[in-house]
Amino acid sequence: MKPGSLAENITQVREKIEAAARRSGRDGTDIVLVAVTKGVPLEGIEEAHALGLSLFGENRIQEAATKVSALPPPIQWHMIGHLQTNKVPDAVRMFQMLQSVDSIRLAEKIDEECAKLDRTMPVLLEVNIAGEVQKYGFKPEEVYAAVDAAGGLPRLKIMGLMGMAPNNPEQSPRREAFKKLKNIFSVLRSLKRNNVEMKYLSMGMSGDFEIAIEEGSNMVRIGTALFR
Ligand SMILES: *Cc1c(COP(=O)(O)O)cnc(C)c1O
């Protein structure tokens, strides 16, 4: 494999995922890899698919639209960026999962659009574990009420939580943020609620996915480390 090639990057990321999973008493196959393709041209995504990746994440509807139509199912697409309510009609047609549900208003709009299509939508609730005002998401103390409210929407299937660590060069604040989200996830997982199946804890990006996995993540969203 050529050093720095996509093939080599994929191999390296997979090895790191495997090693981090083992450190947390799990297996690499327990961790879902979402390849984040924002800014990556279609050819790059096709190459990644040819190399075995089949789950991609995008953060903008407009950029995702052409990619999703060029690479339809069984290839899977997750929305990972802030979603405006006026883009929901497009989003529910394009994505297999919306990871970035950050308000009840948005959840209600998704429910409404899915009713029109007679489908249900798997979603994750985004939690602002970084505590940074510029980041989206429910506050940690709001999540329980948010799960209750969103769980009452029949077209939504709440499948977990998503979060981003603070933009901090230090490891320890990131680790603390991941621990916090894992705790919330564990509590929610132990409660039984309609339309809620706490399966995915989506945390960890190129700079911190190994720490995130050590702290319990089972879904990582990785862009730069693959497509740099
Ligand atoms: C861009 C992005 C990622 C991937 O970030 P990298 O640092 O490139 O791995 C993950 N999650 C979200 C929400 C993003 O917007």
Side-chain angles (χ1 to χ4, degrees):
M1 269 181 290
K2 270 216 332 263
S5 66
L6 179 57
E8 189 182 76
N9 292 348
I10 293 172
T11 302
Q12 279 183 1
V13 165
R14 286 204 189 283
E15 282 171 3
K16 287 178 179 170
I17 289 173
E18 176 69 39
R22 295 215 170 275
R23 288 197 293 278
S24 70
R26 292 176 294 164
D27 197 278
T29 55
D30 297 332
I31 317 292
V32 179
L33 169 60
V34 181
V36 177
T37 50
K38 62 181 181 220
V40 179
L42 193 53
E43 308 79 71
I45 306 172
E46 284 167 342
E47 188 190 350
H49 181 238
L51 290 164
L53 299 183
S54 57
L55 171 54
F56 300 107
E58 282 282 337
N59 69 341
R60 287 212 186 90
I61 295 290
Q62 210 162 355
E63 182 180 341
T66 45
K67 297 174 176 177
V68 173
S69 52
L71 296 165
I75 295 173
Q76 303 257 313
W77 293 89
H78 286 190
M79 176 62 177
I80 61 170
H82 177 62
L83 184 56
Q84 290 169 309
T85 49
N86 63 344
K87 301 280 172 56
V88 168
D90 294 327
V92 298
R93 287 171 172 80
M94 288 161 56
F95 293 99
Q96 278 73 39
M97 183 184 281
L98 307 178
Q99 292 203 10
S100 41
V101 174
D102 56 11
S103 72
I104 294 305
R105 199 167 90 88
L106 176 61
E108 286 168 348
K109 181 72 182 164
I110 296 165
D111 182 63
E112 204 181 298
E113 287 302 321
C114 286
K116 293 181 196 164
L117 303 176
D118 194 24
R119 63 161 297 184
T120 56
M121 191 77 211
V123 303
L124 306 183
L125 299 186
E126 181 171 355
V127 185
N128 185 350
I129 44 171
E132 292 166 1
V133 285
Q134 68 271 30
K135 287 216 164 64
Y136 291 103
F138 294 99
K139 295 197 183 97
E141 62 270 25
E142 294 171 344
V143 182
Y144 303 99
V147 169
D148 277 341
L153 300 169
R155 299 291 175 165
L156 260 61
K157 180 128 183 80
I158 301 170
M159 304 217 54
L161 303 177
M162 187 267 255
M164 266 184 274
N167 285 326
N168 194 308
E170 299 290 320
Q171 273 207 7
S172 63
R174 293 181 183 226
R175 193 178 287 281
E176 285 316 305
F178 292 142
K179 270 196 214 300
K180 190 193 271 184
L181 192 57
K182 172 66 194 308
N183 280 335
I184 298 170
F185 180 76
S186 299
V187 172
L188 286 169
R189 185 133 75 164
S190 68
L191 306 172
K192 266 242 149 292
R193 283 193 169 85
N194 284 341
N195 303 326
V196 181
E197 183 199 346
M198 281 286 149
K199 189 169 176 193
Y200 298 113
L201 179 55
S202 174
M203 55 184 198
M205 318 189 348
S206 293
D208 54 24
F209 69 91
E210 293 165 276
I211 313 174
I213 293 169
E214 287 169 14
E215 297 304 331
S217 166
N218 61 12
M219 183 176 267
V220 290
R221 308 176 310 271
I222 301 181
T224 324
L226 295 170
F227 298 104
R228 63 182 149 211

